[in-house]
Amino acid sequence: MDRQQISLLAHADHPVASPLDDDSVRRLLDHGLRPGAERVLDLGCGGGEWLLRALAAQPALKGEGVDVSEDALARAREAAIKRGVHERLTLHRHDAADFDSPHAFDLVISSGATHAFGGLLPTLAAARTHLAPGGRVLIGDGFWERTPSPEAVEMLGDLMDLATTVERVVDAGWTPVHGHVSTRQELDAYEWSWTGSLAGWALDHRDDPDGSQALAAATAHRSGWLRVYRDCWGFVSLVLRRTAD
Protein backbone atom coordinates (compact mmCIF):
# COMPACT_ATOMS: atom_id res chain seq x y z
CA MET A 1 0.00 0.00 0.00
CA ASP A 2 1.63 3.24 -1.13
CA ARG A 3 1.25 6.77 0.21
CA GLN A 4 -1.40 7.70 -2.36
CA GLN A 5 -3.61 4.74 -1.41
CA ILE A 6 -3.24 5.49 2.29
CA SER A 7 -4.13 9.14 1.73
CA LEU A 8 -7.21 8.24 -0.30
CA LEU A 9 -8.52 5.95 2.44
CA ALA A 10 -7.65 8.42 5.19
CA HIS A 11 -9.59 11.24 3.49
CA ALA A 12 -12.70 9.18 2.77
CA ASP A 13 -14.73 11.05 5.41
CA HIS A 14 -12.95 14.39 4.99
CA PRO A 15 -12.72 14.94 1.22
CA VAL A 16 -11.36 18.47 1.62
CA ALA A 17 -7.91 17.16 2.38
CA SER A 18 -7.01 20.03 4.70
CA PRO A 19 -8.00 20.96 8.29
CA LEU A 20 -10.97 23.12 7.31
CA ASP A 21 -14.67 22.79 8.01
CA ASP A 22 -17.39 23.35 5.42
CA ASP A 23 -18.03 26.99 6.35
CA SER A 24 -14.33 27.84 6.09
CA VAL A 25 -14.10 26.22 2.66
CA ARG A 26 -17.18 28.12 1.47
CA ARG A 27 -15.82 31.47 2.67
CA LEU A 28 -12.43 30.86 1.08
CA LEU A 29 -14.03 30.00 -2.24
CA ASP A 30 -16.32 33.04 -1.98
CA HIS A 31 -13.26 35.27 -1.63
CA GLY A 32 -11.29 33.42 -4.29
CA LEU A 33 -13.89 33.36 -7.04
CA ARG A 34 -14.62 36.78 -8.47
CA PRO A 35 -18.07 37.41 -9.98
CA GLY A 36 -17.90 36.32 -13.59
CA ALA A 37 -14.96 33.98 -13.06
CA GLU A 38 -14.67 31.53 -15.96
CA ARG A 39 -11.98 28.99 -15.05
CA VAL A 40 -10.55 27.46 -11.87
CA LEU A 41 -7.49 25.18 -11.58
CA ASP A 42 -6.55 22.94 -8.66
CA LEU A 43 -2.88 21.86 -8.57
CA GLY A 44 -2.72 18.67 -6.52
CA CYS A 45 -6.49 18.26 -6.54
CA GLY A 46 -6.72 14.78 -5.00
CA GLY A 47 -10.37 13.75 -5.04
CA GLY A 48 -11.37 17.13 -6.46
CA GLU A 49 -13.51 18.39 -3.59
CA TRP A 50 -12.46 22.03 -3.91
CA LEU A 51 -13.28 21.97 -7.61
CA LEU A 52 -16.61 20.23 -7.12
CA ARG A 53 -17.72 22.83 -4.59
CA ALA A 54 -16.56 25.69 -6.78
CA LEU A 55 -18.41 24.31 -9.81
CA ALA A 56 -21.57 23.80 -7.75
CA ALA A 57 -21.40 27.40 -6.52
CA GLN A 58 -20.99 28.97 -9.97
CA PRO A 59 -22.89 27.22 -12.78
CA ALA A 60 -20.94 28.94 -15.57
CA LEU A 61 -17.53 28.02 -14.14
CA LYS A 62 -15.20 25.45 -15.75
CA GLY A 63 -12.66 23.56 -13.67
CA GLU A 64 -9.46 21.63 -14.21
CA GLY A 65 -7.67 19.42 -11.70
CA VAL A 66 -4.17 17.99 -11.72
CA ASP A 67 -2.93 15.07 -9.64
CA VAL A 68 -0.58 12.10 -9.96
CA SER A 69 -2.99 9.63 -8.35
CA GLU A 70 -5.28 7.87 -10.81
CA ASP A 71 -7.33 6.49 -7.91
CA ALA A 72 -7.95 10.01 -6.59
CA LEU A 73 -8.87 11.26 -10.05
CA ALA A 74 -11.26 8.35 -10.52
CA ARG A 75 -12.96 9.34 -7.26
CA ALA A 76 -13.19 12.92 -8.50
CA ARG A 77 -14.79 11.80 -11.77
CA GLU A 78 -17.34 9.67 -9.96
CA ALA A 79 -18.22 12.46 -7.54
CA ALA A 80 -18.53 14.98 -10.38
CA ILE A 81 -21.04 12.75 -12.16
CA LYS A 82 -23.09 12.35 -8.98
CA ARG A 83 -23.17 16.13 -8.48
CA GLY A 84 -23.95 16.86 -12.12
CA VAL A 85 -20.87 18.98 -12.81
CA HIS A 86 -18.80 16.47 -14.81
CA GLU A 87 -19.33 18.25 -18.14
CA ARG A 88 -17.52 21.31 -16.75
CA LEU A 89 -14.63 19.38 -15.16
CA THR A 90 -11.39 18.28 -16.85
CA LEU A 91 -8.90 16.13 -14.94
CA HIS A 92 -5.25 15.54 -15.76
CA ARG A 93 -3.00 12.81 -14.42
CA HIS A 94 0.21 14.79 -14.29
CA ASP A 95 2.85 16.13 -11.94
CA ALA A 96 1.36 19.42 -10.76
CA ALA A 97 4.78 21.09 -10.56
CA ASP A 98 5.32 21.03 -14.33
CA PHE A 99 1.73 21.04 -15.56
CA ASP A 100 1.08 23.30 -18.54
CA SER A 101 -2.24 24.50 -19.91
CA PRO A 102 -3.29 26.68 -22.85
CA HIS A 103 -5.79 28.39 -20.55
CA ALA A 104 -5.35 31.11 -17.97
CA PHE A 105 -7.34 30.74 -14.76
CA ASP A 106 -9.25 33.18 -12.61
CA LEU A 107 -8.51 31.09 -9.50
CA VAL A 108 -5.67 28.66 -8.85
CA ILE A 109 -6.06 26.42 -5.80
CA SER A 110 -3.39 24.41 -4.02
CA SER A 111 -4.31 23.41 -0.49
CA GLY A 112 -2.09 21.08 1.49
CA ALA A 113 -0.09 20.17 -1.61
CA THR A 114 3.01 22.37 -1.40
CA HIS A 115 5.18 19.26 -0.92
CA ALA A 116 4.57 18.50 -4.61
CA PHE A 117 6.41 21.71 -5.54
CA GLY A 118 9.13 21.78 -2.91
CA GLY A 119 7.54 24.31 -0.58
CA LEU A 120 5.19 27.26 -0.31
CA LEU A 121 7.07 29.78 -2.46
CA PRO A 122 7.73 27.35 -5.34
CA THR A 123 4.02 26.51 -5.27
CA LEU A 124 3.15 30.18 -5.63
CA ALA A 125 5.67 30.57 -8.45
CA ALA A 126 3.99 27.70 -10.30
CA ALA A 127 0.51 29.11 -9.64
CA ARG A 128 1.57 32.50 -11.01
CA THR A 129 2.21 31.01 -14.45
CA HIS A 130 -1.43 29.92 -14.70
CA LEU A 131 -3.17 33.12 -13.54
CA ALA A 132 -5.33 35.33 -15.73
CA PRO A 133 -4.99 39.10 -15.20
CA GLY A 134 -6.57 39.96 -11.88
CA GLY A 135 -6.70 36.29 -10.92
CA ARG A 136 -6.35 34.93 -7.41
CA VAL A 137 -4.56 32.07 -5.70
CA LEU A 138 -6.06 30.09 -2.83
CA ILE A 139 -3.28 28.30 -1.01
CA GLY A 140 -3.13 26.37 2.25
CA ASP A 141 0.01 25.33 4.13
CA GLY A 142 1.32 24.54 7.58
CA PHE A 143 3.19 26.80 9.98
CA TRP A 144 4.59 26.59 13.51
CA GLU A 145 2.29 28.00 16.17
CA ARG A 146 4.99 27.39 18.79
CA THR A 147 8.65 26.45 18.70
CA PRO A 148 8.71 22.86 17.42
CA SER A 149 10.82 19.99 18.68
CA PRO A 150 13.53 18.60 16.40
CA GLU A 151 11.29 15.55 15.98
CA ALA A 152 8.41 17.73 14.75
CA VAL A 153 10.67 19.49 12.24
CA GLU A 154 11.91 16.14 10.99
CA MET A 155 8.32 14.95 10.61
CA LEU A 156 6.71 18.01 8.99
CA GLY A 157 9.57 20.01 7.53
CA ASP A 158 11.27 23.35 8.00
CA LEU A 159 8.20 25.57 8.43
CA MET A 160 8.09 29.14 9.72
CA ASP A 161 5.84 30.91 12.22
CA LEU A 162 2.67 32.54 10.90
CA ALA A 163 4.02 36.09 10.68
CA THR A 164 7.17 35.00 8.86
CA THR A 165 5.14 32.78 6.52
CA VAL A 166 2.93 35.70 5.47
CA GLU A 167 5.91 38.06 5.19
CA ARG A 168 7.66 35.66 2.81
CA VAL A 169 4.54 35.45 0.69
CA VAL A 170 4.34 39.26 0.53
CA ASP A 171 8.06 39.54 -0.27
CA ALA A 172 7.50 37.12 -3.16
CA GLY A 173 5.10 39.61 -4.77
CA TRP A 174 1.70 38.65 -3.36
CA THR A 175 -0.90 40.55 -1.36
CA PRO A 176 -3.30 38.65 0.91
CA VAL A 177 -6.93 39.70 0.35
CA HIS A 178 -8.39 37.10 2.70
CA GLY A 179 -7.11 34.45 5.09
CA HIS A 180 -8.13 31.83 7.59
CA VAL A 181 -6.15 30.17 10.36
CA SER A 182 -7.60 26.75 11.13
CA THR A 183 -9.07 26.51 14.62
CA ARG A 184 -8.17 23.87 17.16
CA GLN A 185 -11.53 22.25 16.44
CA GLU A 186 -10.77 22.09 12.71
CA LEU A 187 -7.26 20.75 13.27
CA ASP A 188 -8.39 18.04 15.69
CA ALA A 189 -11.42 17.05 13.59
CA TYR A 190 -9.15 16.60 10.58
CA GLU A 191 -6.65 14.40 12.42
CA TRP A 192 -9.35 12.27 14.09
CA SER A 193 -10.99 11.80 10.71
CA TRP A 194 -7.69 10.95 9.00
CA THR A 195 -6.66 8.33 11.52
CA GLY A 196 -10.20 7.07 12.13
CA SER A 197 -11.09 6.55 8.48
CA LEU A 198 -7.88 4.65 7.81
CA ALA A 199 -8.16 2.55 10.98
CA GLY A 200 -11.83 1.84 10.29
CA TRP A 201 -11.01 0.57 6.81
CA ALA A 202 -8.29 -1.67 8.27
CA LEU A 203 -10.66 -3.17 10.83
CA ASP A 204 -13.26 -3.78 8.14
CA HIS A 205 -10.65 -5.57 6.01
CA ARG A 206 -8.83 -7.70 8.56
CA ASP A 207 -8.23 -10.45 5.99
CA ASP A 208 -6.91 -8.05 3.36
CA PRO A 209 -3.11 -8.14 3.01
CA ASP A 210 -3.12 -4.33 3.25
CA GLY A 211 -5.23 -4.26 6.41
CA SER A 212 -2.38 -4.59 8.89
CA GLN A 213 -0.32 -1.97 7.04
CA ALA A 214 -3.22 0.48 7.05
CA LEU A 215 -3.79 -0.02 10.78
CA ALA A 216 -0.09 0.46 11.48
CA ALA A 217 -0.08 3.67 9.41
CA ALA A 218 -3.11 5.02 11.28
CA THR A 219 -1.53 4.17 14.64
CA ALA A 220 1.79 5.77 13.75
CA HIS A 221 0.09 8.91 12.41
CA ARG A 222 -2.09 9.27 15.51
CA SER A 223 0.91 8.88 17.81
CA GLY A 224 2.91 11.44 15.85
CA TRP A 225 0.07 13.92 15.94
CA LEU A 226 -0.69 13.56 19.65
CA ARG A 227 2.88 13.24 20.92
CA VAL A 228 4.89 15.32 18.48
CA TYR A 229 3.11 18.13 16.61
CA ARG A 230 -0.43 18.67 17.94
CA ASP A 231 0.61 21.57 20.18
CA CYS A 232 2.92 23.32 17.74
CA TRP A 233 1.53 22.90 14.20
CA GLY A 234 -1.04 25.16 12.59
CA PHE A 235 -2.55 25.61 9.13
CA VAL A 236 -3.19 28.84 7.27
CA SER A 237 -5.21 29.38 4.09
CA LEU A 238 -4.60 32.55 2.09
CA VAL A 239 -6.38 34.15 -0.84
CA LEU A 240 -3.75 36.11 -2.73
CA ARG A 241 -3.50 38.56 -5.58
CA ARG A 242 -0.32 39.53 -7.38
CA THR A 243 0.92 42.82 -5.95
CA ALA A 244 2.02 43.97 -9.41
CA ASP A 245 -0.13 42.59 -12.25
Side-chain angles (χ1 to χ4, degrees), residues 51-110:
L51 288 170
L52 299 178
R53 297 190 188 197
L55 294 175
Q58 294 203 15
L61 191 67
K62 294 181 180 179
E64 296 191 33
V66 185
D67 205 274
V68 295
S69 171
E70 181 55 44
D71 289 339
L73 294 175
R75 177 176 288 185
R77 292 187 192 97
E78 181 180 349
I81 291 171
K82 289 181 178 178
R83 300 190 197 186
V85 299
H86 57 285
E87 293 183 352
R88 294 185 284 126
L89 178 64
T90 303
L91 298 171
H92 308 271
R93 187 180 184 188
H94 203 284
D95 186 338
D98 58 15
F99 174 72
D100 189 26
S101 172
H103 305 296
F105 296 87
D106 299 291
L107 175 64
V108 177
I109 301 170
S110 188

Side-chain angles (χ1 to χ4, degrees), residues 103-175:
H103 305 296
F105 296 87
D106 299 291
L107 175 64
V108 177
I109 301 170
S110 188
S111 183
T114 59
H115 59 276
F117 301 84
L120 177 60
L121 296 187
T123 305
L124 289 173
R128 184 187 293 268
T129 67
H130 297 289
L131 276 188
R136 301 184 178 197
V137 171
L138 196 171
I139 192 163
D141 200 19
F143 68 92
W144 296 127
E145 288 190 324
R146 298 175 183 82
T147 302
S149 67
E151 188 178 4
V153 174
E154 183 178 357
M155 185 175 293
L156 296 180
D158 190 19
L159 305 174
M160 299 292 110
D161 60 43
L162 179 59
T164 303
T165 298
V166 175
E167 287 167 0
R168 288 189 172 186
V169 168
V170 171
D171 289 344
W174 300 89
T175 297

